[in-house]
Amino acid sequence: MHERLYIVPLDDGTRRFSEWLLSELCRKFNLKPQSGIVSRLPEEAYNAKLNQYYANPILSKLELLKGSDFEMILALTEEDLYTPNKNFVMGQANSVSHTAIVSIFRIKPEFYGLPEDEQLLRTRLLNVASHETGHMLGLKNCNNPECQMNEADTVTELDNRPDTFCTNCILNLTLPTKVKI
Ligand SMILES: [Zn+2]
Ligand SMILES: [Zn+2]
């Protein structure tokens, strides 16, 4: 049984990535592409003081939309995210509920005062989304800097992170998923 993946954009600014990202991730991880789940950012996750969204309740809400344990939901947002441990995160996943969210807020070159660059944005988005998909498939952060499961807290670290997994992480991927790289 192949695991099934949904990509769910939660706002207008991320809608244009969903089909492309779904096909990229399904090809890479050998997953079955799914569609039909529509959702928005839950207002209760918004922290007005920080002007950011708390990632964890968003993941809890996504879990309720799932039909089975074989389904994975990766949501996208243009809003800034945080968790209790970090003032911001580019992505966050829950390996138990098989849910994840990726924010494009801090991977847009404009955030750093640079000109828009759609190609760079997509490369970064795919990099973060692949890492979070690895978490949904049971992988932990990896200490190997030559592995996509290595943690990246800044765009510089992200841009230096490869788009492939180390042998160890490939072996640890939940069967029957196999990374085709
Ligand atoms: Zn991670
Ligand atoms: Zn690794």
Side-chain angles (χ1 to χ4, degrees):
M1 163 100 70
H2 287 299
E3 298 192 56
R4 291 169 250 163
L5 178 68
Y6 290 88
I7 301 289
V8 181
L10 299 177
D11 35 41
D12 293 338
T14 51
R15 203 150 289 141
R16 70 181 188 277
F17 303 112
S18 50
E19 265 185 55
W20 160 78
L21 191 59
L22 183 65
S23 91
E24 291 285 333
L25 292 174
C26 285
R27 195 164 36 135
K28 178 167 181 168
F29 292 92
N30 197 18
L31 303 166
K32 212 165 162 246
Q34 302 290 297
S35 60
I37 290 183
V38 177
S39 190
R40 300 202 70 80
L41 280 168
E43 273 317 305
E44 62 270 25
Y46 182 65
N47 184 322
K49 215 161 84 185
L50 300 172
N51 193 24
Q52 287 176 305
Y53 282 80
Y54 180 16
N56 302 33
I58 304 176
L59 298 186
S60 307
K61 188 191 170 192
L62 295 174
E63 186 180 0
L64 301 175
L65 304 173
K66 289 188 6 161
S68 86
D69 283 347
F70 291 101
E71 294 182 348
M72 305 193 295
I73 298 180
L74 188 141
L76 304 174
T77 180
E78 58 184 342
E79 301 291 342
D80 200 17
L81 301 172
Y82 74 98
T83 65
N85 306 328
K86 296 191 173 173
N87 354 328
F88 72 88
V89 288
M90 298 183 277
Q92 174 82 354
N94 184 314
S95 58
V96 178
S97 65
H98 295 178
T99 53
I101 183 161
V102 175
S103 162
I104 61 166
F105 191 85
R106 289 170 194 260
I107 60 176
K108 286 195 230 173
E110 308 90 278
F111 181 78
Y112 305 92
L114 297 167
E116 286 182 29
D117 186 336
E118 182 73 8
Q119 192 49 52
L120 178 59
L121 173 55
R122 284 182 186 243
T123 302
R124 288 173 173 171
L125 175 55
L126 183 57
N127 194 332
V128 180
S130 292
H131 178 95
E132 302 309 336
T133 303
H135 280 314
M136 287 196 286
L137 291 166
L139 296 182
K140 303 219 173 345
N141 284 330
C142 177
N143 290 330
N144 187 340
E146 294 307 312
C147 175
Q148 199 161 31
M149 288 315 292
N150 197 242
E151 231 179 327
D153 288 327
T154 64
V155 270
T156 311
E157 288 174 13
L158 183 66
D159 290 341
N160 287 323
R161 188 167 71 184
D163 64 357
T164 50
F165 294 115
C166 71
T167 328
N168 218 11
C169 284
I170 290 175
L171 288 173
N172 284 331
L173 270 176
T174 316
L175 294 172
T177 307
K178 280 268 182 272
V179 178
K180 289 198 267 185
I181 41 176

